[in-house]
Amino acid sequence: MIPAAGLGTRFLPATKAMPKEMLPVVDKPAIQYVVEEATAAGIDDVLIIIGRNKNNLSNHFDSVPELESTLERKGDHSKLAKVQHSSELADIHFVRQGEPKGLGHAVLRAKAHVGDHPFAVLLGDDLIDERDPLLTTMLDEHTKRGAAIVALMEVDPDSIHLYGAAAVEATDDEGVVKVTGLVEKPAKEDAPSNLAIIGRYVLSPSVFEILERTEPGKGGEIQLTDALQEMAADPDGPGVYGVVFRGRRYDTGDRVDYIKAIVQLAADREDLGPELRPWFKDFAAKL
Ligand code: UTP
């Protein structure tokens, strides 16, 4: 499931009439990268939680007969393939969140669709570079341990107040830690570590019972981190484990990170990189 119902206030006014997950990163909306990441990990059923301005998000994953027939008539097959790709990626479903009461509340809206199966949560504004796969490792860890799996990343201690922070213990597996506690957006001095939860989770449906009774927490929102903290603290449950990610990640809900994502991805692309890289060098030299 991909929650994409937040208000995106950091990106106003761009997000006044458009979800932030639809902001283009080079030439694709951010959320398309996230759907592609899910399908690359073998997931073919995707539920997107949508809020206001839902139409342009759902339209993006639908076919557009007028545009497709025009491109076909012109014989522009490469553009036609680009248009059709997003509507053929996966079996995509949409559910409204109603009010944006927090990430935990958005996840709870997936309950009926998920049923009895484990599922992955991928935040629609958080891009993981396809060259640094993460989700497959997380799905494997879930199968192996039966536990909730979160993605963790070391961040500058001065930024930990923007994330959920994890207290952890080492395991015998390199890159995998046991999560012993979680705090949502702690002050630097209260953070248990500088390991931040980033936008990937693999969960069992048992999380829904916990979310149903999770009271609003930080910011008055129902926090997924608070439900995960309850799982981590339960001595009789399978617990919570973290996969520590050391690859490239872009938070496209943040303006500076969004610009970095575009620069890095465009510079690395075969079609745009050769023209852009010398320009970037020249531009940087003048700064
Ligand atoms: P964020 O906190 O980054 O989203 O939520 P936001 O509230 O839209 O951002 P700002 O701070 O106002 O700019 C993380 C993810 O959870 C989704 C968001 O769409 C984003 O992908 N979300 C958040 C929901 O789907 N519903 C909510 O009620 C809150």
Side-chain angles (χ1 to χ4, degrees):
M1 66 154 299
I2 303 179
L7 294 176
T9 55
R10 281 168 293 168
F11 247 107
L12 284 168
T15 46
K16 195 175 164 193
M18 177 174 77
K20 64 177 167 181
E21 290 79 4
M22 282 302 291
L23 290 170
V25 177
V26 189
D27 49 9
K28 281 191 287 193
I31 196 165
Q32 186 174 331
Y33 290 86
V34 178
V35 174
E36 286 171 355
E37 178 192 341
T39 59
I43 294 170
D44 56 10
D45 184 295
V46 174
L47 176 72
I48 303 181
I49 309 297
I50 46 179
R52 67 202 176 92
N53 304 323
K54 58 173 182 144
N55 288 344
N56 48 27
L57 207 154
S58 52
N59 287 348
H60 180 72
F61 293 102
D62 212 346
S63 54
V64 200
E66 326 81 87
L67 178 59
E68 289 173 33
S69 56
T70 306
L71 291 170
E72 205 152 2
R73 224 178 22 253
K74 288 185 176 171
D76 197 337
H77 297 291
S78 98
K79 290 204 184 82
L80 180 64
K82 283 184 189 171
V83 170
Q84 289 174 334
H85 178 64
S86 59
S87 46
E88 289 166 355
L89 268 173
D91 197 2
I92 301 186
H93 308 265
F94 299 92
V95 164
R96 303 270 329 235
Q97 186 179 4
E99 267 181 83
K101 292 185 187 165
L103 178 58
H105 182 256
V107 170
L108 193 50
R109 298 291 293 128
K111 184 179 174 186
H113 188 86
V114 162
D116 292 335
H117 303 281
F119 64 106
V121 178
L122 292 85
L123 299 196
D125 58 350
D126 215 338
L127 303 195
I128 301 294
D129 199 301
E130 62 179 352
R131 295 163 291 184
D132 304 320
L134 166 66
L135 190 56
T136 309
T137 314
M138 295 178 71
L139 292 168
D140 291 347
E141 287 299 324
H142 179 82
T143 308
K144 190 165 123 191
R145 298 174 192 273
I149 309 292
V150 296
L152 298 174
M153 192 165 185
E154 274 187 38
V155 298
D156 182 333
D158 286 333
S159 318
I160 195 73
H161 66 282
L162 302 170
Y163 297 90
V168 301
E169 284 170 5
T171 69
D172 292 339
D173 294 317
E174 167 70 26
V176 180
V177 290
K178 181 166 172 48
V179 175
T180 55
L182 289 165
V183 198
E184 181 63 19
K185 299 193 171 76
K188 184 180 173 183
E189 49 284 5
D190 301 329
S193 74
N194 67 335
L195 281 173
I197 309 183
I198 55 170
R200 299 293 178 270
Y201 309 78
V202 179
L203 304 170
S204 299
S206 58
V207 72
F208 295 126
E209 288 159 45
I210 302 176
L211 282 171
E212 271 162 354
R213 54 184 161 73
T214 300
E215 296 289 332
K218 201 93 189 197
E221 296 192 339
I222 298 172
Q223 300 288 355
L224 180 58
T225 306
D226 293 345
L228 290 167
Q229 159 59 20
E230 188 173 325
M231 289 176 148
D234 177 1
D236 302 320
V240 179
Y241 286 79
V243 171
V244 181
F245 182 63
R246 302 189 200 282
R248 286 159 282 193
R249 167 203 176 240
Y250 316 98
D251 174 5
T252 63
D254 173 80
R255 288 172 302 174
V256 170
D257 241 27
Y258 171 77
I259 294 164
K260 286 183 189 168
I262 294 175
V263 170
Q264 183 151 351
L265 293 173
D268 291 348
R269 277 213 353 204
E270 274 177 27
D271 55 344
L272 304 169
E275 195 178 332
L276 278 172
R277 284 190 295 266
W279 184 84
F280 284 145
K281 275 193 195 139
D282 197 35
F283 178 72
K286 287 184 198 140
L287 288 178

